[in-house]
Amino acid sequence: VEPLIQKGHENLVHHILLYQCSSNLNDSVLDYGHECYHPNMPDSFLTCETVIFAWAIGGEGFTYPPHVGLSIGTAADPLFVLMEVHYDNPSYTEGLIDNSGLRLIYTPVLRKYDAGVIEAGLWVSLFHNIPPGMPEFVSEGHCTLECLEEALGAERPAGIQVFAVLLHAHLAGRAIRMRHFHNGEEQKLLAYDDEFDFNFQEFQYLKEERTILPGDNLITECHYSTVDRIRMTWGGLSTRNEMCLSYLLYYPRINLTRCASIPDIMEQLQFIGVKEIYRPVRTWPFIIKSPKQYKNLSFMDAMNKFKWSRSEGLSYNQLVLKLPVNVRCSKTDNAEWSIQGMTALPPEIERPYKTEPVICSSSSCLSCSLFLTLFIVHITASTIGNTGPSV
């Protein structure tokens, strides 16, 4: 997969997602673009929920391993796809027309395994929030053992093989780690970026494929800094909002597209003193009923009104990491595993992850030289591949 970013738009195009849509999509909506999630967007676009590829700013093209491919042409494969482009236009420049996209290079030679993508981490929502003025704040998104137990137990008890990971956050992100637990024991990090750069995000090829088994759990651990902000930072699509996601490329493909979590919002609000909200909930964000200082404010306004200090922010962070989470466990075509919507407790783990010390030796120089050689070969292979047929 090769990103085709229009020349001069390298800072405008932030990331691109390619989704598989329902095979029942209405043909009348094809070939027209719409503003994402706008009321005028066709409802049928909402059936396009299964991520099959992700590219982010600074990333290069991606080449699947020789034994794995993105399958096309069978009943389980994409018949329709939706390309979602996220733009970053902080100066609100008008009249921009963009023609960026993705080129897919295919082969008629069937590969041994069909690849799949699992979106793991924190469900993108206002329930993910970060206080202002914090030099460090940690958020966790849980791909719970309950979700993996049900999905893998039904589809692939022998487990799946992860071969690449894309770690994704926005401007406040400083470090991201993908932690892996088996039978409660922590394994080596699946992927990490301790010097996260918003302008350089791409899939990390794993040196060794990693087996994920039923009953394992995965935690996307995101570190943020909001020292330069005076208001809350909210989970959302804008680059000034935040995300905490991992995209796992794996094989063989199973019917699991999203394995994520949402923290409990009411206990977050209790931290700032909220006692009651108006029920039934008729507006979003919902409105607070008591106490008096927050009466008739949305929960977003109440969180911004609270006088955050660094000590309050630290206490809030410690609370949030221990809160029950709502499990998101999704299949293709908007279907759900039965575990979806249940409440689970985060596992008792060491927080944050303790980085293993790096030991330098002469062998490390050898590995550096090997990396450079492989990198050149990879680029050459990509260049050759691009001359082939594409869709």
Side-chain angles (χ1 to χ4, degrees):
V1 183
E2 177 190 2
L4 301 175
I5 307 305
Q6 184 172 323
K7 190 172 182 180
H9 286 191
E10 290 81 4
N11 291 325
L12 179 69
V13 182
H14 180 256
H15 63 280
I16 302 175
L17 295 166
L18 194 66
Y19 295 90
Q20 177 174 340
C21 301
S22 168
S23 55
N24 299 319
L25 191 78
N26 188 330
D27 288 12
S28 66
V29 303
L30 296 179
D31 301 323
Y32 293 97
H34 295 270
E35 184 177 344
C36 301
Y37 311 110
H38 188 273
N40 290 335
M41 187 182 83
D43 289 344
S44 56
F45 277 26
L46 297 173
T47 70
C48 309
E49 278 208 324
T50 302
V51 175
I52 54 175
F53 186 74
W55 171 89
I57 188 169
E60 304 272 336
F62 181 83
T63 303
Y64 285 86
H67 56 300
V68 186
L70 178 65
S71 177
I72 54 176
T74 77
D77 297 332
L79 184 58
F80 303 105
V81 296
L82 179 143
M83 186 177 73
E84 178 180 295
V85 185
H86 291 233
Y87 295 101
D88 187 22
N89 185 17
S91 59
Y92 295 95
T93 305
E94 295 184 1
L96 293 171
I97 298 174
D98 182 61
N99 195 34
S100 300
L102 300 171
R103 173 180 287 145
L104 311 183
I105 292 91
Y106 70 88
T107 171
V109 180
L110 188 65
R111 294 186 170 185
K112 185 173 182 180
Y113 296 107
D114 294 345
V117 184
I118 296 173
E119 180 184 285
L122 262 171
W123 184 272
V124 180
S125 77
L126 298 175
F127 293 2
H128 174 210
N129 50 73
I130 306 163
M134 296 299 295
E136 178 165 271
F137 189 92
V138 180
S139 298
E140 289 179 354
H142 296 270
C143 177
T144 64
L145 64 89
E146 292 87 355
C147 178
L148 291 176
E149 184 77 59
E150 182 178 14
L152 287 173
E155 299 249 326
R156 182 73 179 177
I160 56 174
Q161 302 297 123
V162 176
F163 59 89
V165 178
L166 172 69
L167 303 170
H168 182 63
H170 288 175
L171 286 168
R174 296 295 180 269
I176 310 176
R177 298 168 188 146
M178 185 59 159
R179 303 175 69 174
H180 176 205
F181 296 82
H182 176 64
N183 292 332
E185 294 291 322
E186 182 151 21
Q187 312 299 299
K188 283 186 177 179
L189 288 175
L190 195 59
Y192 68 94
D193 188 345
D194 285 340
E195 298 293 337
F196 177 78
D197 184 345
F198 169 79
N199 296 306
F200 185 75
Q201 304 182 51
E202 66 179 353
F203 276 101
Q204 299 180 22
Y205 296 91
L206 303 192
K207 291 180 181 177
E208 295 180 357
E209 294 176 355
R210 182 74 63 87
T211 305
I212 309 296
L213 295 164
D216 285 6
N217 59 298
L218 305 171
I219 300 175
T220 306
E221 177 186 285
C222 297
H223 295 244
Y224 304 98
S225 172
T226 59
V227 288
D228 57 347
R229 302 188 182 192
I230 59 173
R231 295 173 67 81
M232 295 289 292
T233 298
W234 302 94
L237 299 175
S238 164
T239 53
R240 273 88 196 145
N241 298 139
E242 268 309 329
M243 292 186 180
C244 181
L245 294 173
S246 301
Y247 292 95
L248 280 63
L249 280 176
Y250 72 93
Y251 69 87
R253 180 178 60 189
I254 62 171
N255 197 359
L256 177 64
T257 60
R258 186 176 284 118
C259 183
S261 67
I262 308 174
D264 186 287
I265 186 63
M266 292 312 299
E267 291 204 43
Q268 293 180 57
L269 292 174
Q270 287 170 13
F271 179 87
I272 65 166
V274 171
K275 292 184 167 54
E276 188 179 5
I277 67 171
Y278 285 102
R279 296 183 186 275
V281 174
R282 301 185 187 279
T283 60
W284 183 255
F286 56 74
I287 306 301
I288 293 168
K289 188 174 182 180
S290 69
K292 188 175 181 179
Q293 77 253 36
Y294 300 135
K295 186 176 175 65
N296 294 329
L297 292 180
S298 72
F299 76 81
M300 294 178 72
D301 289 336
M303 293 285 266
N304 276 317
K305 186 177 180 179
F306 184 75
K307 295 192 184 320
W308 292 99
S309 64
R310 289 190 180 179
S311 61
E312 292 280 15
L314 182 59
S315 297
Y316 180 66
N317 200 173
Q318 292 169 345
L319 167 76
V320 169
L321 292 177
K322 295 177 181 177
L323 289 180
V325 298
N326 185 283
V327 175
R328 317 308 293 172
C329 195
S330 308
K331 301 180 181 181
T332 55
D333 284 354
N334 292 320
E336 301 167 350
W337 289 96
S338 66
I339 211 77
Q340 171 123 335
M342 76 160 280
T343 299
L345 289 172
E348 292 288 334
I349 61 170
E350 185 177 11
R351 292 187 174 94
Y353 177 85
K354 291 287 190 297
T355 307
E356 295 180 9
V358 177
I359 301 172
C360 296
S361 67
S362 58
S363 63
S364 65
C365 295
L366 176 62
S367 64
C368 290
S369 130
L370 177 61
F371 169 77
L372 288 171
T373 305
L374 290 173
F375 185 66
I376 293 166
V377 170
H378 166 69
I379 291 176
T380 306
S382 297
T383 306
I384 294 169
N386 290 349
T387 63
S390 63
V391 290

